[in-house]
Amino acid sequence: MPGWLTRIPERTRGSGDLAAWVEPRRPAYLVLDRRRYPEACAELLGQAGQRDFMTLFATTPLAPLIEASPWLVELEVGSEAWLSGEALCREQRLGWAFQPAPATPLTDLADHLRRFFVLDDPHGGQSLVNIQDPAAWTALLTAGSDTTYAQLIGPLGRVVTPTPQRHWLAWQPADSLGNADALPLTQELELALKESPRAWWISQATETPLPALPPEWLERLICLAAGGITHGRDRTRLLPLICQASDATWRDAQAILVDPSLTAVQKTGELERLS
């Protein structure tokens, strides 16, 4: 299993309903990937209990991408808008929640989050990180050092993310490091971000919590991707092979995956017959 997955139990406090992790008498916030469900997010802004929101790419070098910008939405806990947003995040992987200390300005929270959309990568360039995606945010919170974890949490206070099983996972509190130096995208963080969509997909498809994923499942997904099999529908057809194949059967599968004479469609058919 990738090392970052094993740290999830160490850095979290438990899973369950979102209501168990936030106080009802003060506002909480959602970071939403509004580009995936723009109409549902727009409806959220008109519902009772929505107090304020900011477009996170505004006033940043990413402003030309404003139409794809995530939103930071302030909500009354338990309100109509809160329940709608909670369902979007939990059921559609549309975002995640947090509740900072009382009287924390919305602009401070937005400025904190804006620091992590573009990070210096290990190759001497910069990478755009979709921190609004719970899979990516989970990878960042889990894969970095304790210092990195504290930098990410910062003033956010109580951070709660959806899981592939459509529960909510609460993260341990961390002391804010204030305006610490820019967070670098280390090789470990970069690898975790690349692995996180596959880990999330197979965790959801098999109802296996992320920390319990067998390492060979993820290794086999990597082999499928290298062989050109990347679509979810094709991977779903091959779930029995991914999760149950013996070592001997998997060796036969690998021979098919590296066969240059076969298309991805043909490989999928051949692999399905093995399972």
Side-chain angles (χ1 to χ4, degrees):
M1 183 194 307
W4 65 276
L5 287 175
T6 65
R7 295 196 197 108
I8 291 178
E10 301 171 11
R11 290 188 173 167
T12 56
R13 297 185 290 168
S15 63
D17 295 334
L18 182 55
W21 305 109
V22 294
E23 295 181 9
R25 296 180 185 83
R26 55 191 184 89
Y29 298 80
L30 297 178
V31 180
L32 292 178
D33 187 2
R34 47 84 53 194
R35 61 182 174 170
R36 291 180 49 220
Y37 290 86
E39 293 182 0
C41 288
E43 290 175 3
L44 181 70
L45 297 187
Q47 292 176 344
Q50 186 273 316
R51 298 176 53 163
D52 204 349
F53 87 103
M54 296 189 72
T55 304
L56 287 172
F57 284 177
T59 73
T60 77
L62 295 172
L65 304 176
I66 198 75
E67 292 301 319
S69 174
W71 284 353
L72 174 60
V73 187
E74 181 180 329
L75 302 157
E76 294 176 10
V77 174
S79 66
E80 177 189 9
W82 175 257
L83 295 176
S84 296
E86 184 274 342
L88 286 172
C89 293
R90 177 173 44 82
E91 296 175 6
Q92 305 296 339
R93 205 179 96 184
L94 203 69
W96 47 275
F98 67 92
Q99 188 173 48
T104 305
L106 180 66
T107 52
D108 289 359
L109 299 170
D111 288 343
H112 174 76
L113 292 167
R114 286 166 175 155
R115 295 171 52 211
F116 307 121
F117 283 115
V118 178
L119 301 179
D120 292 335
D121 61 39
H123 316 289
Q126 291 187 315
S127 293
L128 179 64
V129 181
N130 295 320
I131 66 167
Q132 70 273 19
D133 180 353
W137 186 241
T138 296
L140 288 177
L141 290 176
T142 309
S145 65
D146 291 345
T147 298
T148 296
Y149 180 78
Q151 282 183 258
L152 290 164
I153 297 291
L156 302 182
R158 300 176 180 179
V159 173
V160 195
T161 58
T163 72
Q165 287 70 47
R166 297 180 174 87
H167 303 306
W168 285 92
L169 188 65
W171 295 80
Q172 295 283 2
D175 293 331
S176 172
L177 296 185
N179 295 320
D181 293 337
L183 177 70
L185 187 63
T186 63
Q187 290 184 340
E188 187 174 19
L189 286 174
E190 184 180 50
L191 179 60
L193 287 170
K194 290 179 179 178
E195 291 174 336
S196 62
R198 285 190 289 263
W200 191 282
W201 179 84
I202 200 164
S203 174
Q204 188 172 65
T206 63
E207 290 294 323
T208 304
L210 286 168
L213 289 176
E216 61 267 20
W217 291 5
L218 294 173
E219 291 166 3
R220 290 174 178 182
L221 279 176
I222 293 170
C223 290
L224 291 180
I229 300 173
T230 57
H231 293 299
R233 63 178 182 274
D234 295 329
R235 294 187 299 190
T236 299
R237 290 167 57 188
L238 298 175
L239 265 179
L241 181 71
I242 296 167
C243 301
Q244 301 169 18
S246 65
D247 290 343
T249 300
W250 185 249
R251 283 194 292 271
D252 293 338
Q254 288 177 302
I256 292 170
L257 286 168
V258 299
D259 188 337
S261 68
L262 298 176
T263 66
V265 173
Q266 291 170 327
K267 290 176 182 179
T268 301
E270 292 291 325
L271 292 170
E272 195 171 18
R273 281 188 279 274
L274 284 179
S275 56

